[in-house]
Amino acid sequence: MPEYMSTTAQSVWENCLSFIKDNIQDQAYKTWFEPIKAVELTDNALYIQVPSKFFYEWLEEHYVKLLKVALTKELGPSAKLLYKIKMENKLGNKLPFTEQLPSNNRSAVKTQEIDVPIQNKNPELKNPFVIPGIRNVKIESQLNSNYSFDNFLEGDSNRLARSAGMAVANKPGGTSFNPFLIFGGVGLGKTHLAHAIGVEIKEKYPEKTVLYISAEVFTQQYIDSVKKNTRNDFIHFYQLIDVLIIDDVQFLSGKAGTQDVFFHIFNYLHQNGKQVILTSDKAPVDMQDIEQRLLSRFKWGLSAEIHQPDYETRVSILKNILYRDGVEMPDDIVEYVAKNIKSNVRELEGAIISLIAQSSFNHREVTIELAKQVVEKFVKNVKREVSIDYIQKIVSDYFQLDVETLQSKTRKRDVVQARQLAMFFAKKFTKASLANIGSQIGSRDHATVLHACKTVDNLVSTDKQFKKYVDDIHKKLSL
């Protein structure tokens, strides 16, 4: 490389750095900008070298606007920034290798437009995602194009769900998998697979309107529509969708109004050959407080469970992440992480990304000792999702009661305290609503649960013995 090029690249980068330094905190500057080297300047494109793919992703996610402003000041409006990733290669005595980063092939999913027929006297359809006012409704799919089938690795634990998802993506609304319900524990890839189906459909059938939404946001939109007296518009809007993906459908439990409106939307879509995809943390038979007529519809199509990945799949997932990030790591370390993190894919990814970060930031070789430290932190820090049933059992056992007594109407002081503690921990450890907690702990209402939580908070600060109860039970639930 000619000498003048590198000096020009260097001087451009130094000017950028002085601008960046003025606009961010000192610690962030030291961590994310000092390790960068400018390597080349060609036709308004500055190439910078970063220590890892993780580093590049962090810059792109958090500082891309700042970088763009700095570079535009130096090189004008057509300025471009390209990354070269220098991988430290600690295996044997091979030299470090450099990889120029390919851009992500998948572009973001484009906004979809629909011409809506004018109905009645009201020409405008209220889209709960945007402020309405025009007949041509723009609908963001809400899909994340990074969640694709390419990076959803197949294993015994997810084969049925993945294959059925592919079939749905190839022929939305045209298979017997309608609705398609994906269920399983936390962090196993339900949301990833749901997005992947949507992204694939948009690639194969750009004209189809796809919409991803969490059941929580859907419920909020419905509540707003009732307040504003636009319930019919809300229903009409959802009837326009060709592929409706609802995440965490168990959130609808106990919400009669939302279930009713979803029932009408579902029926319309199903009758018109539109595809419905649902995810849930439990199978339809285990869903509580969901109307029978809705549950029976969930069973019309296919319910596919995603299980915890087996050891071989966990190794494949880790190797795929390392390959994708251009990082090499000894097999014994990959195997150690795979053996020790069994519960879900999200934790697995988090642990390996932490290892990559540790090695690239601190220039530490990845050893089994370092892997142990990272894995230990991960296993300790991840809160296990516990069920309300499990909490009731732990509390009952602690006070030597049976669960029936805990849930009974008795007003005996020790039973009342145990019941209040069960409600307090159900609010702390689960995502259930107060009404849902109350209905599961002896058919109480939400006000009783709220009162229980306040009582526990007050007693913890005034009664030493009671504080010990809380600490003991907390330990048992955190194991």
Side-chain angles (χ1 to χ4, degrees), residues 2 11 153 194 293 354 370 435:
S11 59
L153 286 196
R293 59 181 186 157
S354 291
L370 182 59

Side-chain angles (χ1 to χ4, degrees), residues 43-61:
D43 300 334
N44 292 345
L46 177 69
Y47 291 78
I48 58 172
Q49 183 176 291
V50 295
S52 72
K53 173 91 181 288
F54 178 80
F55 212 96
Y56 146 77
E57 284 171 352
W58 188 276
L59 288 169
E60 282 285 284
E61 194 175 333

Side-chain angles (χ1 to χ4, degrees), residues 197-415:
I197 298 168
V199 169
E200 193 73 17
I201 289 170
K202 283 307 290 180
E203 290 209 340
K204 286 195 164 76
Y205 305 97
E207 76 290 352
K208 284 198 183 294
T209 309
V210 180
L211 179 65
Y212 164 89
I213 186 165
S214 71
E216 200 166 353
V217 175
F218 179 84
T219 302
Q220 197 50 55
Q221 289 180 351
Y222 168 67
I223 293 166
D224 289 348
S225 78
V226 172
K227 277 184 195 161
K228 292 173 186 162
N229 205 18
T230 57
R231 184 177 179 273
N232 285 346
D233 285 331
F234 176 82
I235 293 172
H236 288 148
F237 171 82
Y238 275 95
Q239 288 174 344
L240 296 169
I241 308 300
D242 295 316
V243 179
L244 179 61
I245 304 168
I246 298 212
D247 206 358
D248 286 323
V249 80
Q250 78 278 350
F251 186 82
L252 300 182
S253 69
K255 299 177 174 68
T258 314
Q259 287 181 42
D260 181 57
V261 82
F262 181 56
F263 176 79
H264 292 300
I265 291 165
F266 179 93
N267 281 348
Y268 179 90
L269 294 177
H270 198 274
Q271 284 160 12
N272 287 277
K274 309 297 178 76
Q275 179 71 48
V276 178
I277 296 158
L278 309 166
T279 79
S280 164
D281 62 0
K282 41 180 91 71
V285 290
D286 298 323
M287 286 186 197
Q288 294 181 321
D289 295 332
I290 297 253
E291 286 179 37
Q292 209 48 51
R293 59 181 186 157
L294 208 49
L295 279 181
S296 70
R297 276 158 177 75
F298 289 173
K299 296 172 192 168
W300 278 358
L302 174 72
S303 297
E305 184 171 7
I306 299 185
H307 301 273
Q308 291 185 346
D310 57 26
Y311 172 70
E312 284 73 22
T313 310
R314 297 200 299 272
V315 169
S316 302
I317 289 167
L318 293 174
K319 288 192 167 170
N320 184 56
I321 293 167
L322 292 167
Y323 173 75
R324 191 187 70 205
D325 285 8
V327 176
E328 290 191 23
M329 213 172 267
D331 282 351
D332 60 335
I333 289 179
V334 173
E335 284 158 13
Y336 176 82
V337 174
K339 274 196 187 94
N340 286 280
I341 296 187
K342 302 171 188 169
S343 50
N344 71 45
V345 179
R346 201 178 293 150
E347 287 175 40
L348 207 56
E349 290 184 336
I352 204 75
I353 286 167
S354 291
L355 272 177
I356 294 168
Q358 288 269 10
S359 69
S360 63
F361 295 162
N362 305 331
H363 299 295
R364 287 173 70 182
E365 191 172 346
V366 179
T367 59
I368 284 285
E369 281 65 41
L370 182 59
K372 273 183 186 163
Q373 287 169 25
V374 167
V375 166
E376 265 175 30
K377 273 187 200 148
F378 251 82
V379 175
K380 274 182 195 161
N381 287 346
V382 173
K383 272 192 183 170
R384 197 164 42 92
E385 287 265 320
V386 291
S387 68
I388 294 174
D389 289 344
Y390 180 70
I391 290 167
Q392 291 184 80
K393 187 181 179 317
I394 291 289
V395 172
S396 301
D397 289 353
Y398 181 79
F399 289 107
Q400 295 170 340
L401 303 167
D402 52 37
V403 175
E404 287 73 29
T405 309
L406 182 87
Q407 294 182 345
S408 70
K409 301 288 179 203
T410 178
R411 301 293 305 153
K412 280 187 185 168
R413 186 166 176 272
D414 56 336
V415 179

